[in-house]
Amino acid sequence: VALFTPAPTEGIRGIGFFGFKFSDDLSEPLSPEQIYNLTLASDVQGPTLKGLIDKAAATKFSITGLVHPEWITIPHTRAFCAAGANMFNACTNSAKSLLQDRGVILSSYKTLAFFHPPIPGSTVGPMATQGVKGDSSAQGTIWVPLTPSAISRLPQILAHELGHNLGFGHSGAMGGDGQVYTVADRGCYMGGSMAMLNIYYRIMAGW
């Protein structure tokens, strides 16, 4: 029986990294330079998003991009954006509009990664739009609230969310009770390891 694999995920994916803050919370948990050092920089000094992707893709796929040099302030409060429907629509659209007013060409990126201050009481964690394996035509979006925990493992979180943009699902594992649990694979950053991409997803990506 032949193993079906989709079209390979190849080439260079451009990612725009943007920080936005709220009308009632002007904090900036990371500077643009710190964001760059955790995303697009080499991994000589520690884990970076680019380093994790390059290791998983074995030169067949990589990322490039730009970190916007300033945080923008959207005209919405933390409480308003705490609701997922508002965060993913009105709050994000406000950020996009303000970026476009500053001359940012959002269509030049295949992934838009948005960072924002943490929202106390919100149950919305890091999220991403789900792409289709092998399809590089659609633009993906990532949202990350910069809690202290998220900052401490930001490259791994971004690799996980970028995986969703690329069409990867969660990587599960069977527990001692015989049940399969999602996000439990300790050998894959689409699961619970945050260390490497497992062999299944590497085959699916053509890596």
Side-chain angles (χ1 to χ4, degrees), residues 1 19 30 52 57 60 73 81 90 94 101 113 123 125 149 159 174 177 192 200:
V1 178
L30 289 174
L52 290 173
K60 294 184 178 180
T73 304
C81 295
S94 290
D101 289 345
T123 59
S149 175
M174 183 175 292
D177 57 2
Y200 169 78

Side-chain angles (χ1 to χ4, degrees), residues 14-20 65-72 92-114 139:
I15 304 178
F17 299 92
F18 308 102
F20 67 80
L66 180 72
V67 177
H68 193 64
E70 63 172 334
W71 282 68
I72 57 175
T92 301
N93 288 337
S94 290
K96 289 180 178 180
S97 179
L98 289 165
L99 288 166
Q100 289 170 329
D101 289 345
R102 287 163 170 75
V104 177
I105 303 174
L106 297 176
S107 61
S108 64
Y109 301 104
K110 284 299 182 183
T111 288
L112 305 177
F114 291 103
Q139 187 180 64

